[in-house]
Amino acid sequence: MPISIKKLSGADAADYRDLRLDGLSKNPEAFGASFEDESPLSVDDFAQRLEGGAVFGARLDGETALVGAVGLRIPVASKTKHKGAIWGMYVRSDMRGKGIGAALIRHVLDYAKPLVEEVTIIVGASNIAAHKLYIKMGFEQYGFERRALKVGQTYYDEVLMSVVLNPPTEQ
Ligand SMILES: CC(C)(COP(=O)(O)OP(=O)(O)OC[C@H]1O[C@@H](n2cnc3c(N)ncnc32)[C@H](O)[C@@H]1OP(=O)(O)O)[C@@H](O)C(=O)NCCC(=O)NCCS
């Protein structure tokens, strides 16, 4: 499937807001953030987020709507800046199973490789599709958090995963 992936800027904010709110409303268990917290945010709020961070969006060639996106957070603190964290991974439901998720992860790992030693991701313990995707892309489980999220009265456990991009230089 011909898609293009690029780092999003403020100009993509309206399209990104649409995609993000679609994900938060349809798959609340997949995200730490919630639809209730983010739906009041304006396009300008999303533009600031995109300008201040690293979010990558996928589009079908020739189309404007985003079909998927993923974010990468790299801490500025000197003791933690060797590890990036992937967040907000999402592919629209009608576009799943076509390789877009894998392409987004590949893209964000290529971007991260010159910047960090390792990349982490948190995935819902019952999210088989995402778990298999990350295993396929080289991630390994290193932890498990019970009752990490509470959506309504339902608790969700989460699996902590990481992939080493540049082996640590221990002395
Ligand atoms: C998880 C998600 C991003 C996968 O995106 P996708 O574009 O469908 O994934 P791909 O088509 O690139 O699949 C790549 C690999 O992931 C795994 N995978 C994807 N969907 C799967 C499914 N339904 N069941 C089992 N494995 C699956 C497979 O290993 C697949 O490789 P294969 O096709 O060679 O078998 C997508 O399902 C999604 O957005 N889900 C809702 C939000 C979410 O869970 N986000 C992750 C938060 S951590």
Side-chain angles (χ1 to χ4, degrees):
M1 164 151 311
I3 58 163
S4 60
I5 297 177
K6 69 158 196 156
K7 187 165 177 289
L8 301 181
S9 71
D12 301 299
D15 296 335
Y16 180 63
R17 184 177 184 278
D18 278 354
L19 181 81
R20 176 80 173 158
L21 296 184
D22 184 69
L24 293 177
S25 62
K26 293 184 180 156
N27 292 102
E29 72 293 344
F31 302 99
S34 70
F35 180 82
E36 290 69 25
D37 290 341
E38 297 209 4
S39 54
L41 301 180
S42 67
V43 171
D44 279 351
D45 294 326
F46 278 88
Q48 281 177 28
R49 181 186 298 184
L50 294 177
E51 291 293 340
V55 179
F56 304 88
R59 290 182 166 94
L60 300 185
D61 281 0
E63 295 194 13
T64 53
L66 289 166
V67 293
V70 63
L72 178 71
R73 193 174 294 119
I74 300 179
V76 287
S78 59
K79 291 182 181 174
T80 52
K81 67 181 184 186
H82 60 296
K83 286 190 185 186
I86 288 179
W87 62 274
M89 174 72 189
Y90 185 64
V91 174
R92 278 193 200 274
S93 57
D94 58 341
M95 296 304 298
R96 291 179 194 160
K98 301 174 190 294
I100 296 171
L104 280 164
I105 292 293
R106 213 172 290 121
H107 194 94
V108 75
L109 294 183
D110 285 348
Y111 176 89
K113 191 168 169 65
L115 303 175
V116 293
E117 295 177 11
E118 193 168 333
V119 169
T120 62
I121 197 159
I122 297 175
V123 55
S126 60
N127 192 342
I128 306 295
H131 192 265
K132 283 195 171 171
L133 166 62
Y134 304 142
I135 293 283
K136 184 177 172 176
M137 304 308 291
F139 286 78
E140 292 177 349
Q141 177 171 341
Y142 69 89
F144 187 89
E145 184 177 351
R146 288 195 189 86
R147 297 181 294 280
L149 300 180
K150 188 175 182 183
V151 182
Q153 291 309 307
T154 306
Y155 294 95
Y156 294 90
D157 301 335
E158 289 185 330
V159 173
L160 315 180
M161 305 182 82
S162 70
V163 62
V164 174
L165 301 178
N166 298 291
T169 49
E170 291 182 43
Q171 300 181 6

